[in-house]
Amino acid sequence: MPDLDAPSGLSPYLHFGHISAHQVFFDLMRREGWTPDRVSDRTDGSRSGFWGLGESAEGFLDQLVTWRELGYNFCVHRPDDYDRYSSLPDWAQRTLAKHAGDPRTPRYSTEQLENAETADRSGTPPRTSSVATVESTTTCACCGALRSAVALRMS
């Protein structure tokens, strides 16, 4: 939940290769005392319960492993159109077409959205904190600190 201010903050570091998903996974599993015998036999597609970890760790791994890999695989298998409307499955295109004319009020300008000036107050804190929080690094020396940050935020 965005209101808990519990994101890992690792997205830019993963994206730009300052830390690998494999290292984050390894460090989290080591911290949790995980062994492969904790993997569930259940294969129902649930977001949690597969790894045999706590709910927050399971949710984190759902993003780090499952969705990241799905995205990569989609791009690998659709290199020419993964970023185009035409890559969407037929059912998704039909649903979008069906709802294209749905009323969407109020409509906001780019400036209003950037400044989080919307009627929806529930989404405002995460949007403004994303704009106000800038994290960057110039060396891979930060990797140890990032691993520590994962351990702290997952506890």
Side-chain angles (χ1 to χ4, degrees), residues 15-36:
H15 179 79
F16 292 108
H18 292 283
I19 191 168
S20 75
H22 294 93
Q23 186 65 53
V24 172
F25 178 88
F26 175 79
D27 288 348
L28 174 62
M29 294 312 215
R30 185 180 60 211
R31 181 188 165 280
E32 294 282 325
W34 183 85
T35 60

Side-chain angles (χ1 to χ4, degrees), residues 1-2 13 22 27 45 53 55 61 65 78 86-88 96-97 115 117 120 122 130 143 146 153:
M1 294 178 44
Y13 304 102
H22 294 93
D27 288 348
L53 300 171
E55 188 177 344
L61 289 175
V65 177
R78 305 277 308 244
S86 60
S87 72
L88 295 173
L96 288 169
N115 294 321
E117 297 168 350
D120 179 11
S122 66
S130 296
C143 293
L146 290 173
R153 291 185 182 233

Side-chain angles (χ1 to χ4, degrees), residues 26-87:
F26 175 79
D27 288 348
L28 174 62
M29 294 312 215
R30 185 180 60 211
R31 181 188 165 280
E32 294 282 325
W34 183 85
T35 60
D37 62 310
R38 290 175 67 181
V39 171
S40 173
D41 292 333
R42 194 178 85 201
T43 56
D44 61 3
S46 176
R47 176 178 181 226
S48 61
F50 176 77
W51 297 101
L53 300 171
E55 188 177 344
S56 63
E58 293 264 350
F60 179 77
L61 289 175
D62 183 54
Q63 295 296 312
L64 181 73
V65 177
T66 308
W67 291 106
R68 187 171 190 269
E69 289 303 311
L70 281 172
Y72 281 145
N73 280 302
F74 184 78
C75 293
V76 165
H77 294 288
R78 305 277 308 244
D80 297 327
D81 72 345
Y82 69 87
D83 60 345
R84 296 198 172 87
Y85 182 82
S86 60
S87 72

Side-chain angles (χ1 to χ4, degrees), residues 121-145:
R121 302 284 41 128
S122 66
T124 300
R127 284 197 307 263
T128 55
S129 67
S130 296
V131 171
T133 304
V134 177
E135 298 176 9
S136 65
T137 183
T138 56
T139 120
C140 286
C142 67
C143 293

